Amino acid sequence: MIVTLKKGIKKKEIAVLSEKIKALGCRPYVVKGKDVTIIGVIGEYAKKHKEVFETMDMVEHISEIQKPYKLASREFKKENTVIKINKNVEIGGKRIHVIAGPCAIESEDLMIRTAKMVKDAGATVIRGGAFKPRSSPYAFQGLGEKGLKYIKESGKKLCMPTVSEAMTIEQVNLLSKYCDIIQIGARNIQNYDLLKAAGEQKKPVLLKRGLATTVKELLLSAEYILSRGNSNVMLCERGIRTFEDSTRFTMDLNAIPVLKKLTHLPLILDPSHGIGIREHIGAMAKACVAVGADGLIIEVHPRPEEALSDGPQSLFPSQFKILMEELNLIAKAVDRELLA
Ligand code: PEP
Ligand code: MN
């Protein structure tokens, strides 16, 4: 249920109303717009209390959200959500931000060198996994907390925000100390306790669509995070599994205009995992920009042939640099910005 407040309502009054919503066993979710403030009343039995709000002086009007996901829907919030990571990075605005780095953090030196290279090419956020969800238990599983120290150090040195993946609740809490953005990977999108934990901490979340997750399920997973109080969720299309086996996954570009209509949350596209073949990443990255991405996440490695994870889809730094220039042209053609 959305409660729209009358213009000029004071902070104190909003606080009182929020307490009242909690006393009814629901959760308040306040969105202050330019002109109006709305409060999402979230909870299984929110509808039951409609009359309580109808009689309040400060309430302009009440509406119900028809979609099963509430806070994630455009019905709830019409304007695009812009997530401020630091002074220079705002995801969801006019500028398309590129997140880049190795699949896995392999050493401090590799992390810093890669971060430098991608920054030189125009990337604004660095990526690197410390806890890796590998198909084989014998494959490199990541450096764990040591890796997080390396990515944090790289971010500090280069003044760039960082993103890394958490696979467990403990890792969510650990990552919130080391990184600026917490990634929930494709394989964990329906790990609801993990989503709740991500919603209960303050760092922005990059939520990756699962291999067999529908758009509706993706939005419901985002809703788990939002409904726990974390409004900074970015959705990531990273390819789904179809009958096609000539590529690693099938990038569902259809989902982008569909999601843009259904949700206000920023959309990050991952052509690296989406197609999984180095020589085709560039073509797909361009398509991602053209179709409406708010950001891209791209794997880059100084020596992809020696990478401990996802080498075949990692770009050489020289390739990445050229690609960024090309993406910049596409961005301009769709009235966006990419390079500063
Ligand atoms: C990754 O980003 O390296 C990763 C494992 O992603 P996904 O969860 O999309 O497979
Ligand atoms: Mn990877």
Side-chain angles (χ1 to χ4, degrees), residues 6-222:
K6 286 190 179 144
K7 280 187 188 161
I9 293 293
K10 299 202 170 57
K11 249 187 174 166
K12 223 168 150 187
E13 292 172 284
I14 296 172
V16 171
L17 183 53
S18 296
E19 285 311 311
K20 191 153 195 168
I21 292 169
K22 284 185 205 160
L24 292 170
C26 301
R27 272 196 296 271
Y29 192 99
V30 180
V31 180
K32 289 194 185 102
K34 253 192 284 154
D35 301 317
V36 286
T37 296
I38 58 174
I39 303 190
V41 182
I42 305 302
E44 228 175 308
Y45 306 109
K47 255 194 221 166
K48 211 174 71 184
H49 303 296
K50 196 171 171 192
E51 274 174 26
V52 176
F53 300 100
E54 273 168 348
T55 54
M56 283 181 180
D57 246 9
M58 63 173 95
V59 172
E60 178 70 44
H61 85 108
I62 294 174
S63 54
E64 279 170 34
I65 302 171
Q66 300 307 322
K67 297 278 188 319
Y69 41 88
K70 312 289 178 191
L71 302 172
S73 73
R74 278 254 187 230
E75 279 175 79
F76 175 63
K77 186 166 175 262
K78 295 204 169 31
E79 325 81 63
N80 290 334
T81 284
V82 177
I83 302 179
K84 200 169 161 59
I85 315 285
N86 67 11
K87 214 166 63 221
N88 305 317
V89 179
E90 284 187 358
I91 297 178
K94 184 158 183 175
R95 182 164 181 199
I96 298 169
H97 285 276
V98 179
I99 305 167
C103 178
I105 303 159
E106 299 174 10
S107 70
E108 185 166 19
D109 175 61
L110 174 113
M111 198 58 237
I112 294 186
R113 266 193 306 136
T114 317
K116 239 189 203 124
M117 288 166 180
V118 299
K119 184 178 181 174
D120 282 348
T124 46
V125 182
I126 45 176
R127 63 150 290 148
F131 301 100
K132 295 303 305 174
R134 305 304 300 276
S135 303
S136 165
Y138 306 119
F140 178 58
Q141 304 285 309
L143 295 180
E145 190 168 358
K146 200 161 64 173
L148 293 179
K149 288 183 180 150
Y150 298 159
I151 196 170
K152 184 175 176 159
E153 192 53 36
S154 313
K156 222 162 97 186
K157 271 212 167 101
L158 291 149
C159 293
M160 288 169 92
T162 58
V163 56
S164 198
E165 175 171 354
M167 297 194 293
T168 65
I169 295 172
E170 295 74 38
Q171 290 167 11
V172 166
N173 299 327
L174 191 66
L175 263 142
S176 64
K177 289 192 217 136
Y178 284 104
C179 292
D180 301 290
I181 303 169
I182 295 178
Q183 176 173 321
I184 303 287
R187 288 149 193 89
N188 269 311
I189 189 164
Q190 288 173 318
N191 181 340
Y192 300 114
D193 283 345
L194 187 64
L195 299 176
K196 286 178 193 168
E200 278 159 16
Q201 57 78 52
K202 295 204 160 31
K203 293 284 168 80
V205 177
L206 175 66
L207 178 64
K208 291 188 125 190
R209 181 178 181 185
L211 280 53
T213 312
T214 62
V215 161
K216 183 169 150 190
E217 287 163 342
L218 168 64
L219 291 168
L220 281 168
S221 288

Side-chain angles (χ1 to χ4, degrees), residues 103 127 132 248 273 299 309-310 313:
C103 178
R127 63 150 290 148
K132 295 303 305 174
R248 188 174 177 196
H273 292 87
E299 289 183 339
S309 172
D310 284 349
Q313 68 191 34

